[in-house]
Amino acid sequence: MTMLDLRTEAATASAFVSAAARFGVVEKPDLAFTPAIARETEHLYEKVKDFIPAFEWAAYAPYVHAINRLKKERNAVILAHNYQTPDIFHCVADIVGDSLQLARDATKVDAEIIVQCGVHFMAETSKLLNPEKTVLIPDAKAGCSLSESITGADVRLLKERYPGVPVVTYVNTSADVKAETDICCTSSNVLAVVESLESDTVLCIPDEYLAMNVARQTNKKILTWKGHCEVHERFTAAELLAYKEANPGIEIIGHPECHPDVIEVCDFSGSTSGMINYVKDKRPPRVLLVTECSMASNIQAEVEGVDFVKPCNLCPHMKRITLPKILDSLLYMTEEVLVDPAIADRARLAVERMVNLKQ
Ligand code: 13P
Ligand code: SF4
């Protein structure tokens, strides 16, 4: 390493000031369940009372109260994915949604700080779209089996093998992968993204099942990768047919990260928000959501007269986010999400092309 390199590195290191140093840290508040806290959180308990027994609310309410207070003091906003637990989804989140909605809404927030309650690729997407804002994730280890299935180097090899074939990458990937990509997609817009490309052949990576499901809806030739969601790959068509037999008239709605054989026996397939809207609009008397476990509880709190049959497949990554970790995030300004400047511009372009696509 030359002297110049050393000086450049030192300058970069000194230019980086941690979020804790920029915003200051706050001392942990007393987390006792006082009558005042019980009163102030009563309206929130109403939304989650079917999932949290009254005696347990004493452990949740002080966190909910402290987070909501600190959020205002810090000028922070909480973005939460539909798979977050009901206490987070209904009691502290400002904006909830599927991956596309969260990416779109991330561009509209006025707050200085975004706390992303979801997995790491979601926080990275928010940071890409808001380079000037501080983006925090309560647990940076909240990963994703799809994101971990592929690297930027893998995509470079694919492009060498299929020169000229456009690359559509699911948002469930690292910024390193997005940087090698022509355009991103989510489960709610994958067909529109694929159809927007002129080429007759498209690389749709890394979710093999999402790609197989979209291949059934387009005339284009879809090439893919062997990535899978560890939650959705567990569902089987045989299991769903058994639910149908045991529950005559039940509607089964599935996420397109499931195998096509599973989607085949579903009455509807869509992104997490697509599934929520289906239940809210159609109000099926009995329904089974073929997706992560918390989704059913989160909608159940908002619709009456729908009976949810719940096979419970949890996403261990989404479940890393908890109220105590969200509070720590706001107190100590951790864990800050940064994107390597060497790849940020290219990764941002792929996400922005998706966000700006007219559907
Ligand atoms: P959507 O919310 O975009 O449907 O994605 C589901 C998912 O698995 C996110 O990790
Ligand atoms: Fe990844 Fe599946 Fe978890 Fe979503 S549910 S974060 S796709 S592992």
Side-chain angles (χ1 to χ4, degrees):
M1 187 181 276
T2 63
M3 274 306 280
L4 183 66
D5 285 336
L6 279 172
R7 276 204 303 272
T8 312
E9 217 164 73
T12 312
S14 65
F16 176 71
V17 182
S18 72
R22 294 199 304 280
F23 292 91
V25 299
V26 175
E27 216 177 292
K28 201 166 200 136
D30 181 12
L31 292 166
F33 185 51
T34 61
I37 288 183
R39 245 188 341 271
E40 285 175 47
T41 57
E42 212 176 347
H43 65 294
L44 295 171
Y45 183 60
E46 265 306 294
K47 302 185 188 183
V48 293
K49 63 177 191 292
D50 291 340
F51 318 105
I52 303 174
F55 71 93
E56 278 187 24
W57 184 241
Y60 286 79
Y63 281 97
V64 167
H65 186 259
I67 290 167
N68 285 334
R69 210 200 57 214
L70 204 50
K71 229 169 42 178
K72 286 195 196 119
E73 282 173 24
R74 291 283 204 194
N75 188 19
V77 71
I78 295 185
L79 264 56
H81 186 260
N82 292 328
Y83 291 161
Q84 292 294 291
T85 47
D87 51 325
I88 296 172
F89 188 90
H90 289 292
C91 301
V92 300
D94 298 290
I95 297 172
V96 294
D98 66 8
S99 312
L100 182 62
Q101 285 171 316
L102 294 181
R104 286 217 165 107
D105 287 341
T107 63
K108 296 179 195 148
V109 298
D110 283 334
E112 261 180 296
I113 300 165
I114 295 175
V115 180
Q116 192 89 30
C117 293
V119 290
H120 194 267
F121 75 79
M122 295 177 174
E124 223 174 32
T125 306
S126 289
K127 181 65 184 174
L128 286 171
L129 295 169
N130 292 279
E132 75 299 343
K133 291 197 197 298
T134 297
V135 176
L136 304 175
I137 184 160
D139 187 333
K141 291 198 195 78
C144 168
S145 62
L146 280 167
S147 179
E148 276 137 38
S149 73
I150 192 161
T151 64
D154 292 327
V155 187
R156 285 194 291 278
L157 286 175
L158 280 173
K159 291 199 289 192
E160 266 174 38
R161 182 149 171 206
Y162 301 104
V165 174
V167 184
V168 174
T169 296
Y170 201 26
V171 279
N172 299 35
T173 46
S174 64
D176 183 35
V177 167
K178 290 184 173 81
E180 300 297 335
T181 294
D182 293 287
I183 182 167
C184 286
C185 75
T186 73
S187 57
S188 73
N189 63 12
V190 56
L191 180 62
V193 169
V194 164
E195 293 287 339
S196 76
L197 300 165
E198 276 176 16
S199 171
D200 289 339
T201 307
V202 173
L203 270 155
C204 185
I205 54 173
D207 188 340
E208 184 184 23
Y209 299 157
L210 184 80
M212 286 162 80
N213 284 317
V214 80
R216 293 173 152 201
Q217 302 168 60
T218 177
N219 291 327
K220 292 183 193 286
K221 181 172 177 198
I222 306 290
L223 306 171
T224 188
W225 186 253
K226 275 236 173 280
H228 299 136
C229 161
E230 67 187 83
V231 175
H232 293 101
E233 72 176 349
R234 274 184 262 157
F235 293 100
T236 64
E239 167 195 12
L240 298 185
L241 289 171
Y243 275 109
K244 273 198 173 180
E245 207 175 301
N247 298 272
I250 193 169
E251 288 202 35
I252 300 194
I253 62 179
H255 194 278
E257 287 170 11
C258 295
H259 191 280
D261 289 352
V262 169
I263 298 303
E264 187 75 29
V265 298
C266 289
D267 299 288
F268 171 80
S269 168
S271 76
T272 54
S273 290
M275 295 166 91
I276 292 175
N277 292 338
Y278 182 93
V279 175
K280 284 186 175 170
D281 294 348
K282 302 250 172 191
R283 303 275 170 145
R286 181 167 281 187
V287 71
L288 187 154
L289 307 184
V290 191
T291 193
E292 211 269 349
C293 196
S294 292
M295 269 269 293
S297 306
N298 289 336
I299 328 176
Q300 200 176 350
E302 291 176 348
V303 293
E304 274 178 22
V306 179
D307 180 18
F308 289 84
V309 174
K310 294 180 179 172
C312 198
N313 279 352
L314 285 170
C315 171
H317 311 291
M318 289 279 177
K319 265 52 215 182
R320 278 184 174 274
I321 310 298
T322 60
L323 290 178
K325 287 185 195 167
I326 299 171
L327 180 60
D328 281 355
S329 223
L330 284 163
L331 291 170
Y332 313 124
M333 301 302 293
T334 53
E335 303 188 26
E336 186 169 14
V337 177
L338 299 168
V339 182
D340 179 353
I343 55 167
D345 284 348
R346 284 182 296 134
R348 183 177 307 112
L349 194 62
V351 179
E352 282 177 347
R353 281 187 182 136
M354 168 189 81
V355 169
N356 297 332
L357 187 77
K358 301 240 177 338
Q359 282 190 65

